[in-house]
Amino acid sequence: MIAERWKELRAAIPAHVRIVAVTKGQPAEAIAQTIAAGAQDVGENYVQEARAKFGVLNLPFSKHFIGHVQSNKAKAIVEAFDVVQSVDRLEAGEALAKAAAAAGKRLPVLVQVNVSPAERFGVRPQDAPALARALRARESLQVDGVMAIGPLGASSAEVARAFELAAEVFEAVGGNTLSIGMSDDWQQALRAGSTMVRLGSALFGPRPAARV
Ligand SMILES: *Cc1c(COP(=O)(O)O)cnc(C)c1O
């Protein structure tokens, strides 16, 4: 089931666009199945949940943190993940930079930009370039681009506008990665120039339990 969905999605999405399999709420077994099907990137929102699942998987894959970065969890995030997509303020970036330096790592990060009125997190678009500059001053961070969450349940015109804004911010920030597009809006994200989509329910079906 997961393997079939992966194949369909991989065939529908251009090869240069990475697919991050978002596995929050899914068991470790589902991660193993996606990797067996060909996935190389896995995204999780919660450190503890991710640690428990990653710990039982002895498989090669790139681990993306896509949840809200709490500064007091920076060390745990740096230990458990390879990429942090959700840096939305300097304080969080500094905590990650410190933890990465202590771990002797250079941590790839994306600046999370808020392009949706209903989104709680993300730097304001106009403030993103300054945040990226400040983060780039940290040697232990590698700012690779921008991540954004499209407006959920919005009209397709609103979604398109939000993704165009994310693409403009990506231009200003620079880097190689524009992480936009989820299960319900990845087609629109591709039209706006996405280089990375983050797919949960499209791969795994509805999540077992919603968390906030
Ligand atoms: C949960 C989540 C996703 C995946 O959502 P789906 O709609 O299930 O594809 C992608 N990105 C972020 C930041 C998420 O929290």
Side-chain angles (χ1 to χ4, degrees):
M1 192 69 150
I2 292 174
E4 272 165 42
R5 287 189 183 132
W6 172 267
K7 275 203 199 96
E8 280 170 21
L9 287 160
R10 191 58 284 181
I13 293 168
H16 75 273
V17 176
R18 295 186 82 89
I19 302 175
V20 177
V22 175
T23 51
K24 61 168 171 253
Q26 303 296 338
E29 177 54 26
I31 303 181
Q33 285 179 36
T34 357
I35 292 163
Q40 298 176 318
D41 298 275
V42 168
E44 284 276 350
N45 294 61
Y46 307 100
V47 190
Q48 265 170 303
E49 178 186 339
R51 269 211 299 228
K53 293 189 282 184
F54 293 166
V56 301
L57 293 166
N58 187 16
L59 295 167
F61 61 96
S62 179
K63 304 168 180 89
H64 297 247
F65 186 72
I66 60 172
H68 182 58
V69 177
Q70 292 172 264
S71 300
N72 63 355
K73 300 256 174 77
K75 185 166 179 278
I77 292 171
V78 166
E79 282 168 3
F81 290 88
D82 303 305
V83 182
V84 177
Q85 297 205 8
S86 43
V87 180
D88 66 351
R89 61 200 195 285
L90 189 55
E91 181 216 351
E94 279 175 346
L96 291 168
K98 222 172 124 182
K105 275 195 192 180
R106 187 144 198 258
L107 180 72
V109 299
L110 302 179
V111 171
Q112 182 178 352
V113 181
N114 190 319
V115 295
S116 320
E119 254 313 299
R120 275 200 295 162
F121 302 120
V123 65
R124 292 188 307 171
Q126 63 268 39
D127 297 332
L131 175 58
R133 264 197 306 280
L135 297 173
R136 285 195 172 109
R138 304 292 170 141
E139 255 174 49
S140 57
L141 299 181
Q142 153 104 35
V143 180
D144 277 346
V146 160
M147 183 273 260
I149 298 172
L152 305 176
S155 73
S156 85
E158 283 171 309
V159 173
R161 254 200 311 278
F163 284 157
E164 277 157 27
L165 178 56
E168 281 169 29
V169 174
F170 174 52
E171 279 275 322
V173 163
N176 297 310
T177 303
L178 174 57
S179 175
I180 51 172
M182 301 176 22
S183 294
D184 292 333
D185 56 20
W186 59 266
Q187 285 102 333
Q188 276 173 296
L190 293 183
R191 285 196 282 277
S194 173
T195 71
M196 179 180 279
V197 295
R198 308 178 309 271
L199 304 181
S201 43
L203 270 173
F204 303 106
R207 271 183 283 284
R211 284 185 61 173
V212 280

